[in-house]
Amino acid sequence: MRLALAGLVCVAACAGSPRPRYELPEDPTAAIVELRKGEARIVRIEADGTIRLRNGTTSADPEQIQELLRFIVEDQRFFDIDQQALKLAVHQANSRYGTAIAVMDGNTTTVSVRLRDRVHAVEQYALEFSAQRYSAVPALQRLAAVERAIVRFVAIAHLGGESTALRMLRAANDELYARYPEVELLTMDDLATAGTRKDGALVAHFRRSASATTVTVATVALPEGGEPVAKVRSNEDP
C-alpha cells in the first residue's frame, strides 16, 4: 500500500528526477518523526515503520516512510526552520497587527525529526491558529504543513491505505454536497484523524478551517463489510 501525502507531489519527481533517500538510525526503535502537543505524545514513527499512537499502534513500509521524510525534509525544508528566527518572525508579524492576541486554551506543538546524521526539533504555541493569523511567515506555514502531513500520514495508515481513505472522502463529499451544495468539497488535505470504534468500524474525521471561526467538518464511519456513513456540518460562506 502506498500512502499519499494529500496529493502533494514534487514537480521534480513527476519529471523523473531522482528523489533523495534518507539514512535512518540503526536502532529500529528510534523515533524518526515525533509529534507532541504540550506534554502529550500524539505520534511516534520509529525507524522500523512502527507508528505508536496514544491508543495503539499501526505501521508503514520503508518507502512510505521515505515519502513522508522527503516531504518534510526536502519539500518543506524542515531542518532549515530556525527556532529563534521563527519566534522573532512571529513576534514581528504580531507587532504589525498592533494588538497581541492570546490563545488561552492552546498548547505547544513540537515536531521532531531524527535521521542517522542529524536531528532537529521545532515548536510553536497554538500552531494552527498562528499559521492562519501569520500567513506571511513562510517558516510557520512550512511547520504547519509538516504537522498536517504527519497527521494525515498516520490517519491513512490507520485506515489501511489510500483507497479506503478516498472511499470515505467520497462519502463525506456526497453528504456535504447534498446538505451544502454551495460549499467547496473536502480533499485529502482535510483528513485530520482516523480511528477504530469498539464495534470494529473505521472512523475518519475531515476538517477544513477557512478561518479561526469558519469550519467544515465531516465524520465518516465504515462498518466492517458495510458502506461508509457520513455526517457533516459547515458554517462556511460560499
Side-chain angles (χ1 to χ4, degrees), residues 16-17 29 33 40 50 55 62 72 82 84 109 114 120 136 160 172 178 194 204 206 230:
S17 300
T29 66
V33 177
T50 300
N55 57 351
I72 294 173
D82 180 80
Q84 293 306 312
T109 296
R114 177 183 294 276
H120 191 48
F206 298 87

Side-chain angles (χ1 to χ4, degrees), residues 50-113:
T50 300
I51 302 174
R52 301 193 184 278
L53 310 172
R54 286 180 293 181
N55 57 351
T57 62
T58 184
S59 63
D61 68 35
E63 186 50 45
Q64 294 163 3
I65 297 294
Q66 289 293 324
E67 184 178 353
L68 177 64
L69 289 173
R70 283 190 286 266
F71 178 77
I72 294 173
V73 178
E74 183 181 21
D75 297 347
Q76 301 303 316
R77 306 192 311 280
F78 177 74
F79 283 93
D80 295 335
I81 301 176
D82 180 80
Q83 182 69 70
Q84 293 306 312
L86 175 61
K87 183 178 180 179
L88 177 61
V90 170
H91 175 74
Q92 292 174 336
N94 193 59
S95 297
R96 288 194 288 271
Y97 280 84
T99 303
I101 293 180
V103 182
M104 303 306 295
D105 58 349
N107 51 40
T108 297
T109 296
T110 304
V111 177
S112 305
V113 177

Side-chain angles (χ1 to χ4, degrees), residues 25-42:
E26 295 183 358
D27 180 358
T29 66
I32 57 172
V33 177
E34 190 168 72
L35 174 65
R36 304 185 73 91
K37 296 283 190 179
E39 297 299 318
R41 187 188 71 199
I42 307 302

Side-chain angles (χ1 to χ4, degrees), residues 219-232:
T219 299
V220 185
L222 179 60
E224 291 185 90
E227 294 297 319
V229 177
K231 296 181 179 179
V232 303

Side-chain angles (χ1 to χ4, degrees), residues 150-221:
I150 294 169
V151 170
R152 196 160 49 243
F153 179 88
V154 171
I156 294 173
H158 194 104
L159 294 173
E162 185 182 359
S163 61
T164 300
L166 287 171
R167 183 182 175 195
M168 299 175 85
L169 174 63
R170 284 193 293 270
N173 279 330
D174 286 346
E175 183 66 14
L176 180 63
Y177 183 76
R179 294 193 59 188
Y180 307 97
E182 301 302 319
V183 172
E184 182 180 352
L185 297 179
L186 296 163
T187 71
M188 287 293 284
D189 283 347
D190 305 314
L191 178 59
T193 61
T196 304
R197 292 192 319 211
K198 292 181 179 180
D199 62 2
L202 294 173
V203 180
H205 301 279
F206 298 87
R207 184 177 187 273
R208 179 177 62 230
S209 295
S211 70
T213 58
T214 305
V215 296
T216 294
V217 295
T219 299
V220 185

